[in-house]
Amino acid sequence: QKEVEQNSGPLSVPEGAIASLNCTYSDRGSQSFFWYRQYSGKSPELIMSIYSNGDKEDGRFTAQLNKASQYVSLLIRDSQPSDSATYLCAVRSTDKLIFGTGTRLQVFP
Amino acid sequence: ETGVTQTPRHLVMGMTNKKSLKCEQHLGHNAMYWYKQSAKKPLELMFVYSLEERVENNSVPSRFSPECPNSSHLFLHLHTLQPEDSALYLCASSPLGDEKLFFGSGTQLSVL
């Protein structure tokens, strides 16, 4: 059973801090990795994709991929209360996109 | 405003009812998906349509019946559901061969 694991949280960080969200996956052959943000009562929204080892930055968001260790991370710099949401990690494994259960992030003022 | 529209937003049905969920995408995509999201569980892929042909049926019970009449519309027909089928049902679309999904707002389904 190919899996994607995330800590369910909540992860609580103060406004302005860096939030670090982590995800591990079991299929070593996975090639594509995604982070979706889901506000309460809303649908998931793609915020980052990463395909090769290293860091990928987009505004306040940085995705980090380490295929040897089979983990992918999302860093949110200068966290804002509006970043409070559940963050879903998704991994392309063979021909399927497998989601984690998500990590709930709370950013408090 | 999302490019993927789902109706209804909320649905309450009895176990003997028949209802349908509707999804429409305005993004010009050629692949459409049904996902189920239950509390504390990962998103579960139910069905995939590519160019209006079903390419994936992820061991979903026959009480769920999808229909894709064209590349812009997707339906999920429901009959004789069980209380454990209560969940958020999400439609998504993507360009053909692209893994990035665009989700609709979902239908929150309650089966009594």
Side-chain angles (χ1 to χ4, degrees), chain A residues 2 6 8 14 28 36-38 53 55 59 70 77-78 82 95:
Chain A
K2 294 168 183 172
Q6 295 181 259
S8 60
R28 188 170 288 277
Y36 286 81
R37 178 179 62 200
Q38 186 173 22
N53 279 329
D55 294 0
Q70 294 175 241
R77 289 183 301 282
D78 187 24
S82 58
D95 60 345

Side-chain angles (χ1 to χ4, degrees), chain B residues 38-49:
Chain B
S38 305
K40 309 293 185 186
K41 290 186 177 180
L43 276 167
E44 298 174 50
L45 178 64
M46 300 176 72
F47 301 104
V48 181
Y49 277 82

Side-chain angles (χ1 to χ4, degrees), chain A residues 30-47:
Chain A
S30 298
Q31 296 295 321
S32 307
F33 307 86
F34 307 90
W35 284 99
Y36 286 81
R37 178 179 62 200
Q38 186 173 22
Y39 291 113
S40 180
K42 302 293 185 183
S43 58
E45 173 192 14
L46 179 67
I47 55 172

Side-chain angles (χ1 to χ4, degrees), chain A residues 4 32 34 36 38 41-46 49 51 56 88 92 95-101, chain B residues 2 9 33 35 37 40-43 45 56 58 88 90 98-106:
Chain A
V4 175
S32 307
F34 307 90
Y36 286 81
Q38 186 173 22
K42 302 293 185 183
S43 58
E45 173 192 14
L46 179 67
S49 59
Y51 303 95
K56 178 182 177 183
L88 307 175
R92 185 79 175 183
D95 60 345
K96 291 187 178 181
L97 190 64
I98 301 175
F99 284 83
T101 53
Chain B
T2 179
R9 291 294 305 275
Y33 311 76
Y35 278 87
Q37 189 173 35
K40 309 293 185 186
K41 290 186 177 180
L43 276 167
L45 178 64
E56 178 108 20
N58 214 24
L88 179 67
L90 290 161
D98 194 321
E99 301 157 316
K100 298 173 185 172
L101 301 177
F102 293 78
F103 285 91
S105 52

Side-chain angles (χ1 to χ4, degrees), chain A residues 41-98:
Chain A
K42 302 293 185 183
S43 58
E45 173 192 14
L46 179 67
I47 55 172
M48 289 288 286
S49 59
I50 187 167
Y51 303 95
S52 54
N53 279 329
D55 294 0
K56 178 182 177 183
E57 187 174 318
D58 183 2
R60 295 186 296 112
F61 298 100
T62 299
Q64 299 177 318
L65 175 61
N66 184 322
K67 290 185 179 179
S69 300
Q70 294 175 241
Y71 81 78
V72 56
S73 301
L74 179 69
L75 302 179
I76 306 175
R77 289 183 301 282
D78 187 24
S79 296
Q80 301 297 310
S82 58
D83 295 324
S84 298
T86 296
Y87 289 81
L88 307 175
C89 174
V91 176
R92 185 79 175 183
S93 179
T94 55
D95 60 345
K96 291 187 178 181
L97 190 64
I98 301 175

